[in-house]
Amino acid sequence: MMKQSLAIMKRELFYMWHDTSLRFILLIGPLLGLLFFAAIYSHQRIDQIPTAIVDLDQSSASRQVVTELKNTQDLQAAAYLDSYDELKALIQKGQVIVGIVIPAHYGQDVALHRQTQVAVMIDGTNMIYATNASSAVLTVTRTLGAEVGIQTLIAQGIQPIQAKEAYQSINFREEAWFNPTLNYAYFLVLAFALNMWQQYCMLASCMNVIGESGVRSWLQIRSSGLSLFKLFFSKSVVHLIIFMLIVLPVYFIAFKIFKLPLAVSWPVLLLFTFVFAVTLHSLGTFMSSISGNAVNASRFGMIIALPSFVISGFTWPLQAMPQWFQPIAWFFPQTWFFQGFNYLAFKNPGWLFMSHYFLILGVMAVIFYSASAMVIHWQTAARGARA
């Protein structure tokens, strides 16, 4: 039995290695993806957002606002304009993301302690840019508002120290946990690379059954008396070994060279990745068993693999998805993997919390493999009846 299994494994390795396109996709694709996304997010955070300033007041108070904006790392004063129309034209052309209009009589209103309004326009077509720009502008407005409030109290006869203490009596201290610098690279780079990895693995898995039953060698294998279990078990072992060998250099480069955060131990991370690889392979095997040909198998696999990363809730929170859709997302193994991976990489909530992620993925694998076995058995019996 062992000799037959080893012979099948060697045969499968031979076929996979001599399939040039598949070899390139599996071996090079995830690594190129990791390097590609690491280069894109190498700056780690968005700052120096192009900003245009329209100062309609030209007073000392308005120039103070301009100075505060220029001293903000997240904003870059790219243009000083004279009118609202000029600002609108620059935003329409994408030359600036933020536009700030200081109204006429701003300095006078501030001096007389009257309410005044500074207009802030943000290009909302790029949500990442818009969110960061909004946060940067909010920081500046808070600082300016505090300064004006303190000056108002001083004008009313209150001592400067007392005015400052009164206006800042409540201090809200913000502190980001698990990713203190809010680094985009930490959050997205490896996840995007793993998304490519799972897509390629799904593509290979979808050839597991149809790659045999769709060629003439299937008849030779059946006539040899080799059991279906031994055949597909041996093939699956080869696939899973290759899947793990592919992801190992991706993890090594990500955690050892790029120094991405890893809160959990390596054995736990690799075990979780292996369990997901088994589940992914079982799903691909099922898709392969119900497909009439290799083209349809690839199509079915890509239909699941391509949108699964978005559905997983990694880039867009599950809680923000429609209520009726949230349970559907949990039917995908990718949802359990990417959600669990996020916990392991950043938080390490412990085995008691993570155990149900392992369990659900394991149950899914059993279900998909069992369904595949039933389909293959039915198809084999149908062929035998026709013969």
Side-chain angles (χ1 to χ4, degrees):
M1 177 177 178
M2 183 59 66
K3 289 184 178 180
Q4 287 182 324
S5 297
L6 289 176
I8 296 170
M9 292 180 184
K10 291 180 181 179
R11 169 180 172 272
E12 189 67 17
L13 279 173
F14 175 83
Y15 284 145
M16 295 186 73
W17 181 257
H18 282 78
D19 187 334
T20 306
S21 59
L22 182 60
R23 183 175 73 240
F24 178 82
I25 288 174
L26 290 176
L27 298 181
I28 308 300
L31 284 175
L32 286 180
L34 178 65
L35 297 175
F36 178 72
F37 291 122
I40 291 175
Y41 293 95
S42 59
H43 195 57
Q44 301 181 353
R45 65 190 301 268
I46 296 177
D47 55 13
Q48 301 295 313
I49 300 172
T51 303
I53 302 173
V54 180
D55 187 357
L56 300 178
D57 188 44
Q58 297 296 327
S59 64
S60 59
S62 66
R63 285 192 291 272
Q64 182 183 0
V65 175
V66 174
T67 301
E68 290 287 348
L69 292 170
K70 289 172 61 178
N71 292 336
T72 302
Q73 179 183 357
D74 294 332
L75 300 176
Q76 180 183 25
Y80 299 92
L81 308 176
D82 297 322
S83 68
Y84 175 86
D85 291 336
E86 289 180 305
L87 172 62
K88 183 178 180 181
L90 286 186
I91 294 180
Q92 284 180 328
K93 296 175 182 177
Q95 296 180 7
V96 297
I97 304 299
V98 180
I100 298 176
V101 180
I102 304 173
H105 311 297
Y106 170 83
Q108 182 179 351
D109 291 339
V110 170
L112 296 175
H113 312 302
R114 293 197 300 235
Q115 186 177 16
T116 187
Q117 186 174 12
V118 176
V120 179
M121 276 67 70
I122 298 176
D123 186 350
T125 56
N126 187 317
M127 292 304 297
I128 301 295
Y129 244 150
T131 301
N132 283 267
S134 178
S135 177
V137 172
L138 180 61
T139 301
V140 175
T141 56
R142 283 177 177 175
T143 302
L144 289 172
E147 291 177 356
V148 172
I150 292 172
Q151 291 174 4
T152 301
L153 294 178
I154 293 175
Q156 294 175 357
I158 300 178
Q159 294 296 320
I161 296 179
Q162 293 177 333
K164 185 176 181 180
E165 291 177 350
Y167 200 83
Q168 300 179 347
S169 59
I170 300 177
N171 181 30
F172 291 92
R173 182 173 62 91
E174 297 178 1
E175 183 177 347
W177 287 6
F178 307 114
N179 186 9
T181 60
L182 301 179
N183 190 325
Y184 277 101
Y186 288 175
F187 181 66
L188 292 176
V189 169
L190 183 54
F192 280 152
L194 290 177
N195 178 43
M196 295 179 64
W197 169 75
Q198 67 92 11
Q199 290 185 30
Y200 300 151
C201 292
M202 175 64 80
L203 180 64
S205 300
C206 285
M207 295 296 105
N208 193 22
V209 176
I210 197 63
E212 295 291 349
S213 60
V215 296
R216 292 182 179 180
S217 60
W218 174 253
L219 299 177
Q220 298 175 349
I221 293 173
R222 297 296 300 133
S223 62
S224 68
L226 181 68
S227 68
L228 293 177
F229 173 80
K230 185 184 297 184
L231 171 65
F232 289 112
F233 175 80
S234 302
K235 284 168 58 69
S236 299
V237 168
V238 172
H239 291 177
L240 292 172
I241 291 175
I242 291 176
F243 293 172
M244 292 304 295
L245 290 177
I246 293 169
V247 82
L248 281 176
V250 175
Y251 279 158
F252 177 82
I253 294 175
F255 297 123
K256 294 299 183 180
I257 297 179
F258 292 154
K259 304 297 182 182
L260 300 184
L262 179 62
V264 77
S265 65
W266 275 84
V268 175
L269 175 67
L270 293 177
L271 177 60
F272 184 66
T273 305
F274 176 74
V275 173
F276 171 66
V278 172
T279 309
L280 194 67
H281 185 267
S282 69
L283 178 56
T285 300
F286 177 68
M287 292 293 102
S288 184
S289 67
I290 64 176
S291 302
N293 52 62
V295 175
N296 285 338
S298 299
R299 289 171 177 170
F300 292 154
M302 289 298 98
I303 287 174
I304 294 176
L306 287 174
S308 61
F309 183 61
V310 177
I311 295 173
S312 71
F314 196 93
T315 57
W316 186 258
L318 284 171
Q319 294 79 2
M321 296 181 187
Q323 193 71 30
W324 61 268
F325 185 79
Q326 294 178 24
I328 298 176
W330 291 106
F331 280 96
F332 290 83
Q334 290 88 341
T335 301
W336 292 94
F337 173 70
F338 284 108
Q339 291 285 333
F341 177 82
N342 190 46
Y343 281 114
L344 292 177
F346 288 101
K347 301 178 181 180
N348 187 17
W351 174 254
L352 184 63
F353 179 86
M354 291 300 303
S355 59
H356 72 284
Y357 285 84
F358 284 87
L359 178 62
I360 295 297
L361 287 173
V363 170
M364 284 183 174
V366 171
I367 293 174
F368 289 132
Y369 277 136
S370 300
S372 303
M374 293 175 61
V375 172
I376 296 172
H377 177 76
W378 177 80
Q379 291 174 344
T380 303
R383 290 192 184 97
R386 287 195 298 267

